Amino acid sequence: DVQLVESGGGSVQAGGSLRLSCEASGDIYSSYCMTWFHQAPGKEREGVVAMEIGGDDTYYNDSVKGRFTASGDRATNTLTLRMDNLSPEDTGMYYCAAHSYCYDDAWWEPKWYHYWAQGTQVTVS
């Protein structure tokens, strides 16, 4: 089993920045996929960024390219998401999820992920 613990989030004005972190523990493979999902109020959850921790691949949703930057640390099993130039459309819950590998043509779909963190709120006004 894999446990995921998130930190970060909060409230910020438009144009500001926030940082989210997700730390994995438990039955972790040498490489695995960690992904941040965003769920805006009244909308479905969608992938924001996925990274192969211990691997080479990173995937970004087009809506965040150039604004969000992911960094992974295999030593601490942590995926950090720096979010810059935030807009009100970025408001919502952010969830960290993990799977044994990233599907390069479906990483943004929640159905592929077995492990989820509790979610953290991001509010941009």
Side-chain angles (χ1 to χ4, degrees):
D1 219 7
V2 175
Q3 295 78 44
L4 302 172
V5 177
E6 299 171 347
S7 60
S11 298
V12 68
Q13 291 188 336
S17 299
L18 287 173
R19 188 188 302 267
L20 305 179
S21 289
C22 180
E23 182 177 356
S25 61
D27 298 329
I28 300 172
Y29 296 102
S30 58
S31 66
Y32 57 100
C33 185
M34 289 182 75
T35 301
W36 281 103
F37 285 84
H38 172 222
Q39 187 163 20
K43 296 188 177 181
E44 295 187 353
R45 204 171 293 189
E46 64 174 0
V48 172
V49 60
M51 177 176 281
E52 291 275 3
I53 306 297
D56 299 323
D57 296 325
T58 304
Y59 308 87
Y60 287 93
N61 188 305
D62 286 346
S63 66
V64 305
K65 285 181 179 178
R67 300 190 300 122
F68 290 12
T69 304
S71 58
D73 188 336
R74 182 62 181 90
T76 60
N77 294 312
T78 301
L79 176 66
T80 299
L81 181 64
R82 177 174 173 86
M83 304 183 293
D84 295 318
N85 194 22
L86 285 161
S87 71
E89 289 71 31
D90 297 315
T91 292
M93 290 293 291
Y94 283 75
Y95 297 91
C96 175
H99 185 56
S100 53
Y101 53 89
C102 293
Y103 290 93
D104 58 4
D105 58 351
W107 62 267
W108 58 86
E109 296 183 19
K111 67 180 181 180
W112 300 115
Y113 294 82
H114 297 298
Y115 305 105
W116 291 86
Q118 74 283 1
T120 186
Q121 176 69 36
V122 169
T123 303
V124 185
S125 58

